[in-house]
Amino acid sequence: MGRSSLLSEKPAAHIDAGSDAGLVTAAQRGDGSAFGRLYDRFAPMVHGIMLSRVSAADADDLVHDVFLTALRQLRSLRNASAFGGWLAQIARNRARDYYRRGPQKDEVQLPDALPGAGAESASAEAEAHAALRIIQELPEAYRETLLLRLVEGMTGPEIASRTGLASGSVRVNLHRGMKLLHERLSQKERP
Amino acid sequence: MSDDYLWDRSGKPEPDVEHLEQLLGRFRHRRPAPEFAEVVPESSGARRRRVLRLFLPWPRLIFATAAVAAVAAGVWYVARMGHGRAQPEQGWAVTNLEGAPRIGKEAIAQSGRIAVGESLVTDQSSRARIQVSNIGEVVIEPNSRVRLLETGTNKEGLALDRGGLHARINALPWQFYVDTPSATAVDLGCEYSLTVDDAGAGLLRVTFGWVQFYAGDRQALIPAGAAARTRPGLGPGTPYFEDVSPEFRSALDELDFGHSGPEARAAALNLVLSQARKKDVLSLFPLLIHVPKSERGRVYERLAKLVAPPRGVTKGGILRRDSRQINLWWDQWGLEHPKK
């Protein structure tokens, strides 16, 4: 393919059907299964963003809401390769609206302090909720990145690629966020 | 450094990070993909229904707005009837104002026509004017790309992908619209400028009449002398009169699009409420709808000092976002205000 072809709009046949952009383009043309594959790839990112802002009990339902919104608005997305950043912004917006609209489900009651080491196996659930709450109280940029890394299991490069954020920013947020998290966890463990 | 494991799981695992991964992994997303319906390309009929749906939340406001615009536009429209109609099915006439604008790949020498589905592109030294059937004209500024979405007897639609345009429309309300990547501008009988940057963010500035700016369930009604920004994934922000202070404008940005945390948000709300003049109820009414309940009471108090709530409007009703009461109060301010 010549240089001029690459600079012009790609015909459908030249779009990599397996790439994110290819799936977005296919979904925009009415391919529901392509959107399902996008869900598989991006749902963890949306879930992590939600979990940084809402209770774990509500995050799953809101993930579904975000994808329905994205499905409705997909044809307005002009740049298929910007899908991840666009979807992340829909998720943040949905989380913000969530607090503006009506009462929410009751939060799970969490312990104020982390349990001692001797009770670890019996209270892992409570410890997990306590750690989650501490992360949710960190500054927004840190908690989102940390939850994508620690809960969803995404690596730093994957977080940058999916959310559209710069790698450098993600790396800084991960390191600073982890440092702050260590400090907060240490404070909680003190008697 | 031992940070590599945190960054990309390379190197020796850090015990603390590993422990947190195991601990928090229970919250990981595991729900399988639901069945998604086919993404059906939006028809013009669907678009019309979508536009009409917008007007349900604030029916009195919208229909009152439409009535005002319809009276003015109707007089003009009837007067135009004797002048015959263009043939909308053949697209719109385009005039080269400057440089070398293109329709598709073809440069326009002096004039041309753009058909549905075609794009008009200007470079940094080009401008073009589009004749929108017989209802008005749109000037396309340099470095812009627009596409003709539909044209017909009841609906004329354009997409502004990037760049800027200036529209002057004399038609019945809701006949002309412009799609942008983050919001749609619907003409209510007006003149306005619209810009979109490469990221899809936009700014709409109205110089005559009213424009409805919406995305999803967010909408802004913008009168002459006012403007509103829009952001991808968020839609239009709070409209504001253009003679507000830069600080007021920045504070609205923080309230609409900011992620700076609760302190910055509280400072922004304080500034907006303290600087709001009587005519800035244009901004306060949308805030009343969009701010969280914890902030709504303060917006109510300020708004009540600027425009006394009429009989039947209570603080409790407003805090509940009772649409009937909000509309009643908005009517009290009056749509004629921008003409004063």
Side-chain angles (χ1 to χ4, degrees):
Chain A
M1 189 183 299
R3 184 176 294 274
S4 60
S5 297
L6 285 172
L7 293 173
S8 61
E9 288 187 7
K10 287 182 178 179
H14 291 159
I15 294 173
D16 176 5
S19 69
D20 293 343
L23 289 174
V24 171
T25 304
Q28 286 177 319
R29 292 185 181 130
D31 184 344
S33 68
F35 195 79
R37 290 175 67 192
L38 287 170
Y39 178 97
D40 291 336
R41 291 184 186 186
F42 285 89
M45 176 197 79
V46 173
H47 186 260
I49 290 172
M50 280 300 167
L51 202 55
S52 71
R53 292 164 171 81
V54 307
S55 70
D58 288 323
D60 278 337
D61 288 341
L62 291 174
V63 169
H64 191 233
D65 283 1
V66 167
F67 276 90
L68 288 179
T69 300
L71 183 62
R72 284 197 297 271
Q73 298 180 1
L74 191 61
R75 288 181 57 79
S76 69
L77 178 65
R78 308 298 184 206
N79 181 1
S81 61
F83 177 78
W86 177 77
L87 186 67
Q89 201 53 52
I90 291 176
R92 295 182 190 112
N93 195 34
R94 180 67 187 90
R96 189 160 52 178
D97 280 349
Y98 170 79
Y99 282 112
R100 290 173 177 167
R101 293 175 186 171
Q104 282 81 49
K105 290 180 190 173
D106 290 336
E107 294 278 346
V108 175
Q109 291 303 307
L110 303 172
D112 286 330
L114 291 175
E120 186 174 345
S121 59
S123 58
E125 183 78 16
E127 186 184 2
H129 278 285
L132 176 62
R133 187 172 65 177
I134 290 170
I135 295 175
Q136 287 174 326
E137 289 170 355
L138 296 178
E140 185 171 292
Y142 299 157
R143 65 181 189 241
E144 190 178 295
T145 315
L146 279 179
L147 288 173
L148 290 173
R149 173 67 183 83
L150 299 173
V151 173
E152 305 302 338
M154 298 166 70
T155 63
E158 285 171 342
I159 295 169
S161 165
R162 284 279 180 266
T163 59
L165 295 171
S167 288
S169 301
V170 172
R171 191 162 195 154
V172 167
N173 289 341
L174 264 181
H175 292 169
R176 290 184 181 168
M178 184 57 77
K179 184 168 181 282
L180 200 53
L181 177 59
H182 280 315
E183 290 171 5
R184 300 275 173 91
L185 286 170
S186 301
Q187 288 168 5
K188 279 281 182 185
E189 284 170 345
R190 284 188 204 121
Chain B
M1 282 180 68
S2 61
D3 287 335
D4 286 343
Y5 182 77
L6 176 63
W7 172 241
D8 59 5
R9 287 207 203 88
S10 65
K12 185 181 176 185
E14 296 177 53
D16 286 349
V17 176
E18 237 182 351
H19 174 67
L20 285 166
E21 284 180 302
Q22 289 168 3
L23 194 65
L24 294 168
R26 73 193 64 226
F27 299 117
R28 185 170 297 175
H29 181 261
R30 301 182 199 282
R31 192 177 285 189
E35 281 293 318
F36 288 106
E38 202 175 66
V39 189
V40 180
E42 192 177 46
S43 66
S44 59
R47 180 182 296 282
R48 275 195 292 277
R49 288 192 293 278
R50 178 158 63 93
V51 170
L52 286 174
R53 268 206 310 276
L54 289 169
F55 305 110
L56 295 177
W58 286 19
R60 295 186 61 181
L61 165 63
I62 298 303
F63 286 111
T65 306
V68 171
V71 170
V75 171
W76 177 90
Y77 195 75
V78 169
R80 286 290 300 244
M81 290 296 283
H83 295 283
R85 293 179 61 84
Q87 293 181 313
E89 67 276 11
Q90 294 179 358
W92 296 341
V94 180
T95 304
N96 181 349
L97 296 179
E98 197 175 351
R102 290 180 291 115
I103 295 175
K105 293 181 179 176
E106 300 292 324
I108 307 168
Q110 291 185 323
S111 63
R113 293 194 78 82
I114 182 170
V116 172
E118 287 187 319
S119 58
L120 169 62
V121 180
T122 58
D123 60 19
Q124 59 185 1
S125 57
S126 301
R127 292 167 68 239
R129 183 175 60 233
I130 295 175
Q131 181 67 36
V132 182
S133 295
N134 63 344
I135 65 170
E137 64 179 36
V138 177
V139 172
I140 310 302
E141 302 295 351
N143 290 321
S144 302
R145 182 179 190 271
V146 297
R147 287 174 292 118
L148 176 52
L149 298 176
E150 64 175 314
T151 176
T153 52
N154 297 318
K155 195 63 64 182
E156 311 284 347
L158 192 65
L160 174 63
D161 296 328
R162 59 176 163 77
L165 60 76
H166 184 90
R168 190 168 60 193
I169 301 295
N170 290 300
L172 295 170
W174 311 323
Q175 191 171 347
F176 176 74
Y177 67 86
V178 178
D179 263 356
T180 76
S182 57
T184 297
V186 182
D187 167 77
L188 299 174
C190 58
E191 182 173 346
Y192 62 92
S193 297
L194 182 57
T195 57
V196 171
D197 67 20
D198 289 340
L203 173 66
L204 191 151
R205 307 172 71 184
V206 180
T207 47
F208 177 78
W210 288 76
V211 176
Q212 175 85 16
F213 206 24
Y214 75 87
D217 53 6
R218 278 191 76 98
Q219 55 180 328
L221 267 179
I222 310 168
R229 298 177 194 278
T230 178
R231 294 283 185 279
L234 293 167
T238 304
Y240 55 86
F241 279 106
E242 295 213 72
D243 60 354
V244 297
S245 70
E247 294 79 17
F248 188 98
R249 203 172 300 186
S250 297
L252 285 183
D253 278 347
E254 177 60 36
L255 293 171
D256 290 332
F257 311 118
H259 295 288
S260 303
E263 288 180 6
R265 185 174 176 86
L269 185 62
N270 286 342
L271 190 143
V272 167
L273 297 182
S274 64
Q275 287 198 3
R277 306 156 298 177
K278 183 168 183 179
K279 72 178 189 177
D280 294 323
V281 299
L282 172 75
S283 303
L284 297 191
F285 271 111
L287 282 180
L288 199 58
I289 294 169
H290 294 303
V291 297
K293 192 174 183 180
S294 58
E295 297 172 349
R296 210 171 300 147
R298 294 190 58 213
V299 179
Y300 170 89
E301 297 297 344
R302 180 61 179 148
L303 198 47
K305 285 182 181 172
L306 296 170
V307 179
R311 187 187 300 270
V313 172
T314 64
K315 184 174 182 179
I318 294 300
L319 296 185
R320 286 197 311 274
R321 289 193 292 204
D322 181 309
S323 59
R324 186 191 65 80
Q325 292 194 30
I326 291 175
N327 289 333
L328 199 59
W329 200 2
W330 168 271
D331 290 346
Q332 186 76 2
W333 175 47
L335 294 169
E336 71 282 4
H337 178 85
K339 296 178 183 175
K340 285 180 180 175

